[in-house]
């Protein structure tokens, strides 16, 4: 057991929140108001935990299962864990299928004041649970529209929660946010093709794989052949178009939130540039961009260029 896993086993709340430092994008950067940082970390704790349940990445020891009332010998049953987590989540909103008491898990108890302070609704949280439940049942996506429907559950709720916590939600901003979040999800899928395949998941639409003559066995190779590279380039272009469509969201807000949102768009663009620089060969491992490229992209976004 690693030091992080040991810490998580002792204190699941702190262990999960500590993962924020390893995310592709800053979760609650220092330049945001303290109240926003606290609320965004509460939302992050929820999102990280539900993803860890869905991916089977909970720390050994069964601490999270015990907190959710799941027998320790059933902790590997992801659907059971997600059901228990959803029941506990409903306690955050005053029952609605949960118990009448407070949530059992400390990360969900942390979420309660955030939900009350901003009058958050259950829907985006339930969407993230549904996405992870879908990951247990659906391992392949036939069409791009099917993938977009998955992103509606797995990614878009996060952006909507950021807007809600910062008090900046409007229909137009939500639409732009959805485009950015879906793009970032697709970029992450492109970076993690090999890792996802190791979990028996493929997020490249089957119809596109057929179009570019890519077989599943091609994705298991050490390096990408020409067909795989062409497919990745095609999907990357789609993600880039979505990012560009959503980018006006940045200019629609002001102050520190503008910096945060610019960072999200810049992170996506920098990741796409890294994929291009790798000649679209994502199979050896996720192409990563350096901080210099990220800052350069952020400047372009803030100036409204590109």
């Amino acid at each position: 057991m690693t030091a992080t896993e040991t810490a998580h086993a002792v204190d699941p709340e702190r262990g999960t929140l500590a993962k924020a430092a390893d995310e592709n994008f800053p979760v609650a950067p220092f330049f945001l108001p303290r109240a926003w940082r606290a609320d965004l970390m509460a939302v992050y704790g929820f999102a990280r935990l539900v993803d860890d349940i869905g991916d089977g990445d909970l720390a050994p020891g069964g601490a999270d299962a015990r907190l959710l009332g799941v027998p320790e010998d059933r902790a590997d049953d992801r659907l059971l864990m997600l059901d228990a987590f959803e029941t506990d989540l409903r306690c955050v909103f005053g029952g609605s299928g949960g118990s009448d008491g407070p949530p059992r898990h400390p990360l969900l108890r942390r979420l309660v004041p955030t939900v009350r302070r901003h009058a958050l609704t259950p829907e985006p949280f339930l969407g993230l649970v549904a996405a992870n439940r879908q990951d247990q049942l659906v391992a392949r996506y036939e069409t791009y529209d099917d993938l977009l429907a998955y992103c509606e559950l797995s990614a878009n709720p996060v952006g909507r929660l950021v807007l809600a916590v910062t008090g900046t939600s409007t229909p137009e901003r939500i639409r732009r946010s959805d485009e950015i979040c879906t793009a970032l999800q697709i970029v992450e899928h492109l970076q993690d093709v090999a890792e996802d395949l190791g979990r028996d998941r493929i997020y490249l639409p089957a119809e596109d794989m057929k179009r570019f003559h890519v077989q599943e066995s091609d994705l298991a190779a050490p390096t990408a052949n020409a067909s795989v590279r062409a497919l990745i380039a095609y999907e990357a272009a789609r993600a880039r178009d979505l990012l560009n469509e959503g980018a006006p969201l940045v200019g629609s807000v002001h102050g520190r939130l503008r910096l945060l949102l610019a960072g999200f768009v810049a992170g996506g663009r920098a990741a796409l540039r890294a994929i291009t620089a790798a000649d679209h060969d994502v199979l050896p491992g996720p192409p990563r961009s350096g901080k210099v490229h990220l800052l350069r992209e952020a400047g372009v976004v803030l100036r409204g260029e590109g």
Side-chain angles (χ1 to χ4, degrees), residues 147-165:
L147 184 64
L148 293 182
Y150 169 74
C151 293
E152 181 70 23
L153 296 173
S154 67
N156 297 359
V158 176
R160 294 183 180 208
L161 285 168
V162 170
L163 293 177
V165 163

Side-chain angles (χ1 to χ4, degrees), residues 27-42 110 114 117-118 165-166 256:
V27 174
F30 70 92
F31 56 78
L32 294 180
R34 180 177 298 179
W36 282 9
R37 294 203 307 271
D39 289 331
L40 290 173
M41 282 303 295
R110 174 187 284 262
T114 296
R117 192 157 37 241
H118 302 286
V165 163
T166 57
R256 299 175 187 183

Side-chain angles (χ1 to χ4, degrees), residues 118-133:
H118 302 286
L120 302 181
T121 62
E123 286 73 22
F125 298 97
L126 291 172
L128 292 172
V129 176
N132 279 276
R133 191 175 283 119

Side-chain angles (χ1 to χ4, degrees), residues 69-91:
V70 174
E72 196 167 329
D73 62 352
R74 301 288 305 280
D76 290 335
D77 186 333
R78 299 182 194 178
L79 286 172
L80 178 63
M81 287 286 290
L82 288 167
D83 288 345
F85 186 73
E86 181 175 328
T87 297
D88 208 31
L89 170 65
R90 292 184 184 278
C91 295

Side-chain angles (χ1 to χ4, degrees), residues 249-290:
L249 172 67
V250 177
S252 77
V253 299
H254 304 283
R256 299 175 187 183
L257 178 59
R258 191 162 180 251
L259 292 176
L260 179 67
L261 299 183
F264 292 156
V265 175
R269 287 181 174 174
L272 286 168
R273 286 189 182 277
I275 290 172
T276 301
D279 196 18
H280 301 99
D281 185 3
V282 296
L283 299 187
R288 302 293 186 191
S289 61

